[in-house]
Amino acid sequence: MLSDLRHILRSLRRSPAWSLTVILTLGLGVGANAMMFGVVDRLMVRPFPLLDQSQEVHRVYLQSTYQGKTRTFSIIPYTRYLDLTRDTRSFAQTAAVTERMLPVGTGPATRERNVVGASAGFFTFFRARPVQGRFFGPAEDLTPVGTPVAVLGFAFWQSEFGGRAALGESIRIGSSDYVIIGVAPRDFIGVSEGTTPAVFIPITSFPLAAGENKANDYYTRYNWDWVTVVARRQPGISEDAASADLTRAYSASRAAQRAITPSVLPDSIAHPRAIAGAIRTPAGPAAGLESRTLLWVTGVAAIVLVIACANVANLMLARMLRRRREIAVRLALGVRRSRLVGQVMLESVVLAGLGGLAGVLIAQWAGIAFRRMVLPPESPLAIVTDWRTLLAAAGIALLAGIATAITPALFAIGGDLTDAFKAGAREGTRQRSVARSLLLILQAALSVMLLVGAHLFVRSLDHVRSVRLGYDPAPVLMAMTEMRGLRLDSASMVTLRRRLLATARGIPGVVAASRVNSRPFGTNTARLIVPGIDSVERLGRFNFQVADPDYFTVMDTRIVRGRGFTNADDERGARVVVVSESMARALWPNRNPLGECITAIFDTGSGETPSCSTVVGVAEDGMNQNLTDDPRFMYYLPMDQVNPAWGTQMFVRVDAGRVGQLGEQVRDRLSAAMPGEGYVTVQPLEDLVLRQQRSWRLGASMFVAFGLLALLVAAVGLYGVIAYDVTSRMHELGVRIALGAQSGHVVRLVVGHGVRLALVGVGIGGLVALLLAPWLEPLLYRQSARDPGTYSQVAGVLLAVAALAAAVPAFRATRADPNAALRSE
């Protein structure tokens, strides 16, 4: 074997261009798959660090049917968590956990950090011992308000405290001061799937730290979804039995909620179900569109590897054909065929190993690009910096090496020595390898599939970007106020809100500003009563926005009928409401909605039931929940008529193109107007929209990257096949020219051969893509997966590339020397 290895390395050095082509081709295939393995492993497969007996730990998911659609969610009210814990018997332990970016620190050093609220039993799920101090216990996690103690995350402790002893010190989190009692071990992140946690606090102290107005009743009511539940199964309890137990408890919890809120749908309609599912959310039943797209992209990476392997197998087979007489001589001298097969396999594995090393470097570079293009900036994802991904890359490379050696090995086993010795100038005149043609057709077919997917995702992303949202996010900044524990009475709060609004409007470059109580892609619902309709909730979810009269101007939301708000719509004026077009059609079909009446019942702090609000305007539909085609039921209420002290957020419209320039200025000016330790955070509204578009951007960017890569590899493969075919047929081509064939005839002969192979691949690939269309279409946005234009354009591109790849060896064929062909006779 060592002798064979030395021979192989000398052979590779003698053919540097061929060797480099093979190594890079395999490197691209291995690198693409190593990168995708690293992404999928970290996001969907790998247990959380230090999690004990991870196969028995689940995240709890709840399902219910709404308007015929089953919805799955993992964020629930804390009261629901208490119900599930009390009424189930299948779990050895349960815990509630939540996280949010909250201000940590005081003065200029204040920064928003990821703060995790966890119940006391949460730490027992992990094999974790604090580096310093201790974790908090049950006595510090009691309702209504837990003890203000904190456990620092290891990275935060190192960066902010320098790794020194910090026990007993006070740290400001949100609006409360916490005493540091411990430091979590290195790599401990709990079950966080985004930004690494900075601080862990008792979950019962979290509402107060977050400044929530529900801090007094979060544990008795069901009007705030904010916690996720993790649970460990009892020994001997199956997942199905645990899910059935959870379902019974969920049904009982809904009955308790219905006693408080009669509008909760009965079980006969909602069909509630609970699931003990995957601890990783992207791998669970609540996995979103992004996770499903990621799995498709992983399959695409595997196809790229198959194309690369087919190309390398073709290159190796061409090399074996060129060495046909050498192989025949070696066999005639007594070399066993098994020895030749072993050499072929060893050479392939060596090349795959070198390709694997190149693939790791490619995966690292591609992973950085992947993070920048697709993942949020705060994502902690690293691609190939751990043994799991490196081991996977080695396994993929070994598999590729074996796969690429099969066809050349079969060639080494077979063959007739007599034919090989007889071969002379006419060698290869009709020796067109069926295997090489089939490999080329396979590459073309797979490339068509990838290019079809890439084209569909690009068009889908174009649709997403061009769709009218019902507002224009590009020139709008979101400003959110944080009081940091300062308590103001209602009148003082109104004065502060109006002062902030006036300050924002006075900043140069600001066009308009509006106070609001929520932002797009959040949930803001209230009980709705409409005369003549028994249960409005049966029609769907109705979200509300509370805003001042400038809201529609700031957001560029068009009023299609009636009017928007005016300054006269204050606490002294008649109660009014503006509804969306979809809401108007759903509530009053075939009727004029203007003048109709609705009543929204929610806690305004006054304890009074509001009177009916008259519809004075109809606004265009806005996408405030997601970017799908679900009904956009939205209504707008004047802030002064609901609660003038509301409006913790503000939308600020600035001059076009100046969002990036004015963001810091708006934050500084508004923060300076805040009392005490209060401050303001500012974020472009477009960031929320881009986050919603992430799955389509993921599909478009990765499909395009892999599709172009596959097209390049297939083109190189076609060029290699045609070039070798031309070289082996130079005698035949010389005879043709001697007999009067024109250059154009020779070019058409060679190019036609390549195009015919590509045409067969296009037909097969297009057919397979059509068969896969039903599974791909749910990932697209307003785009058919069977679009004829897409298939025809992809076919045209691939055939053009095939013709171009065949053109170079075709023109070489026209230089065949007829004299050499005749002399050889």
Side-chain angles (χ1 to χ4, degrees):
M1 185 176 290
L2 290 175
S3 176
D4 289 344
L5 184 60
R6 287 193 294 269
H7 172 74
I8 289 168
L9 293 177
R10 288 196 301 269
S11 176
L12 296 181
R13 285 198 299 269
R14 286 196 299 268
S15 306
W18 182 90
S19 302
L20 187 61
T21 301
V22 170
I23 291 170
L24 287 179
T25 301
L26 285 175
L28 291 171
V30 172
N33 282 269
M35 184 197 75
M36 293 311 303
F37 174 87
V39 173
V40 172
D41 181 49
R42 287 179 175 268
L43 293 182
M44 304 179 68
V45 178
R46 182 180 307 198
F48 288 101
L50 305 177
L51 183 62
D52 190 27
Q53 297 178 325
S54 58
Q55 70 279 3
E56 298 177 358
V57 180
H58 302 275
R59 196 181 295 263
V60 174
Y61 301 88
L62 304 182
Q63 291 182 338
S64 62
T65 300
Y66 200 68
Q67 287 192 306
K69 294 183 179 180
T70 299
R71 303 176 185 270
T72 305
F73 43 94
S74 61
I75 307 298
I76 65 174
Y78 184 82
T79 311
R80 184 91 68 211
Y81 154 71
L82 296 178
D83 293 344
L84 298 178
T85 301
R86 182 187 63 247
D87 296 335
T88 53
R89 301 292 180 267
S90 300
F91 300 100
Q93 54 188 146
T94 60
V97 61
T98 190
E99 58 185 307
R100 185 187 297 184
M101 300 298 291
L102 294 178
V104 176
T106 56
T110 300
R111 295 291 184 274
E112 288 206 327
R113 311 282 188 178
N114 187 23
V115 177
V116 173
S119 53
F122 178 68
F123 297 102
T124 62
F125 282 80
F126 301 86
R127 302 182 302 276
R129 292 185 177 181
V131 176
Q132 288 186 6
R134 62 180 179 85
F135 297 131
F136 47 81
E140 294 157 315
D141 182 35
L142 299 175
T143 56
V145 180
T147 306
V149 292
V151 175
L152 303 182
F154 187 88
F156 178 73
W157 173 59
Q158 291 285 326
S159 63
E160 301 302 317
F161 292 83
R164 60 178 171 81
L167 302 183
E169 293 187 24
S170 178
I171 183 172
R172 186 79 162 171
I173 302 174
S175 57
S176 304
D177 291 319
Y178 285 73
V179 176
I180 300 172
I181 62 169
V183 177
R186 187 189 301 271
D187 298 329
F188 180 77
I189 61 172
V191 292
S192 296
E193 296 176 313
T195 307
T196 301
V199 188
F200 298 85
I201 63 176
I203 197 166
T204 50
S205 71
F206 192 89
L208 191 61
E212 289 287 344
N213 59 6
K214 305 177 181 69
N216 295 324
D217 61 3
Y218 70 91
Y219 59 97
T220 60
R221 300 184 66 83
Y222 299 85
N223 59 342
W224 182 24
D225 296 334
W226 64 291
V227 305
T228 186
V229 179
V230 293
R232 184 188 302 279
R233 280 182 287 119
Q234 294 273 17
I237 300 295
S238 67
E239 293 185 24
D240 290 341
S243 296
D245 192 16
L246 277 170
T247 299
R248 288 190 294 271
Y250 179 34
S251 182
S253 178
R254 286 175 53 86
Q257 180 184 4
R258 195 176 297 110
I260 301 173
T261 309
S263 61
V264 174
L265 295 177
D267 289 359
S268 59
I269 296 177
H271 303 293
R273 183 188 175 209
I275 302 171
I279 190 68
R280 291 274 187 183
T281 304
L289 187 62
E290 188 173 343
S291 300
R292 300 198 300 274
T293 303
L294 191 63
L295 293 177
W296 270 84
V297 172
T298 304
V300 167
I303 292 176
V304 171
L305 180 63
V306 172
I307 294 174
C309 289
N311 196 2
V312 171
N314 243 334
L315 291 172
M316 293 184 67
L317 185 57
R319 194 162 179 252
M320 293 289 289
L321 290 170
R322 284 195 297 270
R323 297 168 57 193
R324 189 172 179 228
R325 300 192 69 191
E326 172 201 335
I327 293 171
V329 170
R330 295 179 67 187
L331 290 172
L333 293 176
V335 176
R336 295 187 306 274
R337 290 184 185 270
S338 60
R339 177 72 181 276
L340 290 178
V341 172
Q343 284 187 340
V344 171
M345 297 294 292
L346 184 59
E347 182 181 35
S348 182
V349 170
V350 168
L351 288 169
L354 295 173
L357 293 176
V360 168
L361 298 177
I362 292 171
Q364 183 66 20
W365 172 83
I368 295 172
F370 177 84
R371 285 190 59 184
R372 291 179 176 175
M373 289 190 305
V374 179
L375 297 179
E378 67 273 10
S379 174
L381 185 65
I383 304 300
V384 288
T385 56
D386 60 275
W387 66 269
R388 288 168 64 100
T389 308
L390 292 176
L391 187 61
I396 294 169
L398 180 61
L399 181 64
I402 295 173
T404 55
I406 292 176
T407 303
L410 291 175
F411 175 83
I413 293 174
D416 188 349
L417 296 182
T418 304
D419 291 341
F421 282 124
K422 287 180 178 179
R426 297 185 183 186
E427 180 181 359
T429 301
R430 291 298 178 189
Q431 296 292 334
R432 298 183 183 181
S433 171
V434 175
R436 299 184 67 221
S437 297
L438 290 177
L439 289 171
L440 192 60
I441 290 171
L442 174 64
Q443 294 180 62
L446 294 177
S447 298
V448 166
M449 294 167 55
L450 298 194
L451 291 173
V452 166
H455 194 275
L456 291 174
F457 266 103
V458 168
R459 293 191 63 177
S460 186
L461 182 60
D462 287 341
H463 293 329
V464 170
R465 288 172 171 169
S466 62
V467 69
R468 171 69 181 175
L469 299 174
Y471 47 87
D472 180 13
V476 179
L477 293 167
M478 297 184 301
M480 292 151 283
T481 59
E482 174 55 58
M483 299 302 295
R484 297 301 301 272
L486 179 64
R487 303 294 179 183
L488 300 178
D489 58 39
S490 181
S492 300
M493 189 64 74
V494 171
T495 301
L496 172 62
R497 304 297 189 211
R498 290 174 178 169
R499 183 169 72 245
L500 291 173
L501 190 64
T503 301
R505 289 170 175 168
I507 298 174
V510 171
V511 177
S514 172
R515 291 186 298 141
V516 295
N517 77 308
S518 64
R519 57 186 182 178
F521 310 113
T523 299
N524 219 4
T525 62
R527 184 185 174 197
L528 201 62
I529 298 176
V530 179
I533 301 178
D534 293 338
S535 176
V536 178
E537 285 78 8
R538 294 176 184 270
L539 299 176
R541 173 173 291 185
F542 294 80
N543 289 277
F544 69 85
Q545 174 69 282
V546 177
D548 62 23
D550 286 334
Y551 173 83
F552 299 104
T553 299
V554 170
M555 298 296 286
D556 191 26
T557 298
R558 297 191 292 263
I559 302 295
V560 297
R561 299 182 70 176
R563 66 174 178 86
F565 302 143
T566 67
N567 292 328
D569 298 321
D570 56 16
E571 60 271 18
R572 296 184 299 273
R575 301 185 68 87
V576 298
V577 63
V578 173
V579 301
S580 67
E581 292 180 279
S582 292
M583 181 173 174
R585 286 193 297 268
L587 295 181
W588 306 285
N590 303 319
R591 289 165 53 189
N592 184 358
L594 299 182
E596 297 289 346
C597 178
I598 65 174
T599 302
I601 302 178
F602 46 86
D603 185 10
T604 63
S606 64
E608 299 178 358
T609 300
S611 58
C612 186
S613 297
T614 302
V615 177
V616 296
V618 178
E620 65 174 315
D621 285 338
M623 294 186 176
N624 290 282
Q625 287 299 299
N626 50 56
L627 297 182
T628 64
D629 292 328
D630 291 338
R632 302 176 185 94
F633 298 158
M634 190 78 184
Y635 58 102
Y636 307 85
L637 299 166
M639 183 166 293
D640 286 344
Q641 293 186 353
V642 178
N643 190 335
W646 281 14
T648 58
Q649 302 180 56
M650 188 186 307
F651 289 158
V652 180
R653 188 177 188 86
V654 300
D655 291 335
R658 298 191 62 189
V659 169
Q661 302 173 15
L662 292 176
E664 279 300 306
Q665 184 178 350
V666 171
R667 186 188 68 81
D668 292 342
R669 291 281 295 272
L670 294 180
S671 293
M674 290 289 291
E677 296 181 2
Y679 72 104
V680 174
T681 61
V682 172
Q683 178 186 9
L685 180 59
E686 197 164 28
D687 285 358
L688 295 184
V689 179
L690 293 177
R691 200 169 297 149
Q692 293 289 318
Q693 296 174 351
R694 190 180 301 154
S695 62
W696 294 289
R697 286 192 291 121
L698 168 65
S701 58
M702 301 308 294
F703 262 90
V704 167
F706 289 152
L708 293 178
L709 179 60
L711 184 63
L712 174 63
V713 172
V716 171
L718 178 64
Y719 170 81
V721 169
I722 300 300
Y724 176 79
D725 189 54
V726 167
T727 301
S728 63
R729 297 175 62 193
M730 288 301 282
H731 174 269
E732 172 203 337
L733 295 173
V735 171
R736 286 176 178 268
I737 293 175
L739 293 177
Q742 300 297 316
S743 297
H745 297 154
V746 175
V747 170
R748 285 197 297 272
L749 178 70
V750 175
V751 173
H753 175 53
V755 171
R756 283 193 297 274
L757 291 176
L759 191 59
V760 175
V762 167
I764 296 174
L767 180 61
V768 175
L770 284 172
L771 294 176
L772 293 175
W775 288 273
L776 181 63
E777 191 156 334
L779 305 179
L780 305 176
Y781 185 83
R782 297 182 180 178
Q783 174 63 50
S784 171
R786 294 186 175 91
D787 176 46
T790 294
Y791 287 79
S792 60
Q793 290 178 43
V794 167
V797 168
L798 191 65
L799 293 176
V801 169
L804 185 63
V808 175
F811 284 111
R812 187 192 307 159
T814 62
R815 297 196 296 271
D817 187 359
N819 293 322
L822 294 175
R823 281 197 298 268
S824 68
E825 296 295 330

